Amino acid sequence: MIYFKKDTALPPFIPLPRFMIASEHSINAKLLYGLLLNRTMLSQKSGWVSEDGNVYVIYTIKQMADGLNRSERTVKTALNELENAGLITRVRQGWNRANRIFLHLPDGVQLSSPPEGNICPMEVQESSPCMGQKLPTSNTKQEYINLIQTERGEIARRRFGEYQNVFLSDDEFTWLQNAYPDKFEEYINRLSAYMETSGKHYANHYATIRKWLDEDSKPKPGNSYDYDYTYDKGECL
C-alpha cells in the first residue's frame, strides 16, 4: 500500500458532482453519471459537438460495463434511470452504431470555472500540472480513435487481450483465429502486455499481430543440405 505524502500525485479518477452525491439515485446511476461526465469533458477537448453546439459522448454499453466493472444489464438499468431523471438524452445513430449520449445538468446547480494553475489529474488528462508527473498509461485515446471510426460508419472494433487494450474488428479476429488457431491468442496477449508495460501504442493492432505471426512462422535459415543417396546399379556409394 502507498501512503500519501506531500508530493504524492493522484491516480486517474472520474469526477462526481456534489448534487449527484446528495441525490436519491442508485449508486450505479451515480457512478455512471461520473463516468459519462468524464467522457463529456474529453469530448469538449476533442470538439465532439452536435449541429446545435451540444457536446455528446459515444460510449457503448460494453465499454460502460467494463469501466464500472458492472454487468451490461446493470448499465442499461442505470442508463434508463438517468434518462428518466432527465440527466441524459440518448439519440440513435442507426443500426449497429452506438448512440450519441448528451449529458445534462439540473436547473440551478452551482457551476464552477474551469480549473487553472495547480490542478490535479482526472482520467481525461495526460499529466498532472500540480505535480509535473506523467499519469499511468491510459488507452483513453485509443478508445476514442475506435469510437470515432464507429461514429463515422467505419469498422467497429472490440477489446481483446489480457489488459483489454487490443482493438480488433470481428473480421480481423476471425482471420487471425482461422489462420493461426494455435497461436493467435498468445500473440494478442503478447501485444496487450507489451503495450501495458511499455506505454507504446500502435495505429493498427491487427497489422501488428499479423506481422509478428508472419515473421515468427517463417522457417529459420539453417545449414540443411539435400543429399541424394540413390544410385544406379553398378555404381559405388
Side-chain angles (χ1 to χ4, degrees), residues 8-217:
T8 302
L10 294 177
F13 60 90
I14 62 173
L16 187 61
R18 290 186 181 275
F19 76 84
M20 284 300 292
I21 296 176
S23 72
E24 297 181 356
H25 297 298
S26 68
I27 185 64
N28 289 323
K30 293 178 180 181
L31 292 174
L32 182 56
Y33 188 92
L35 200 65
L36 291 171
L37 178 56
N38 185 65
R39 282 306 181 98
T40 298
M41 295 172 67
L42 185 57
S43 291
Q44 282 181 316
K45 294 173 63 176
S46 303
W48 283 36
V49 295
S50 68
E51 297 76 8
D52 300 327
N54 299 322
V55 176
Y56 64 87
V57 171
I58 300 291
Y59 213 5
T60 66
I61 298 292
K62 185 180 185 306
Q63 288 172 325
M64 285 184 269
D66 290 342
L68 290 179
N69 195 26
R70 299 288 195 275
S71 68
E72 293 186 17
R73 182 176 180 180
T74 298
V75 167
K76 291 177 182 178
T77 300
L79 281 170
N80 289 334
E81 182 179 344
L82 292 176
E83 191 163 42
N84 292 334
L87 292 174
I88 65 169
T89 297
R90 287 179 283 181
V91 178
R92 294 186 179 276
Q93 296 301 298
W95 183 79
N96 205 29
R97 296 178 65 185
N99 294 336
R100 285 184 177 184
I101 302 177
F102 295 84
L103 200 66
H104 305 305
L105 294 168
D107 294 332
V109 69
Q110 183 178 357
L111 302 177
S112 59
S113 301
E116 297 179 359
N118 249 11
I119 59 174
C120 288
M122 284 182 289
E123 197 171 283
V124 299
Q125 294 175 304
E126 296 179 9
S127 61
S128 168
C130 60
M131 297 300 173
Q133 299 178 355
K134 280 275 188 180
L135 289 181
T137 303
S138 170
N139 58 16
T140 301
K141 281 186 176 180
Q142 185 61 45
E143 289 177 11
Y144 258 66
I145 289 172
N146 286 278
L147 288 173
I148 289 171
Q149 291 177 328
T150 302
E151 169 69 3
R152 291 174 179 171
E154 300 174 13
I155 297 174
R157 289 177 169 81
R158 295 189 290 121
R159 294 166 173 265
F160 294 94
E162 181 180 357
Y163 297 96
Q164 293 289 286
N165 55 353
V166 176
F167 292 88
L168 299 170
S169 71
D170 290 338
D171 288 342
E172 291 168 346
F173 180 82
T174 300
W175 190 95
L176 293 172
Q177 187 178 38
N178 292 335
Y180 299 96
D182 299 327
K183 296 181 178 180
F184 78 101
E185 286 186 326
E186 174 191 345
Y187 278 73
I188 289 174
N189 287 327
R190 182 184 296 183
L191 177 60
S192 178
Y194 181 71
M195 291 193 298
E196 181 70 18
T197 55
S198 68
K200 292 185 177 180
H201 297 280
Y202 294 87
N204 190 315
H205 295 168
Y206 165 71
T208 302
I209 294 170
R210 183 168 177 176
K211 179 175 180 290
W212 289 359
L213 282 164
D214 290 345
E215 289 178 348
D216 290 352
S217 298

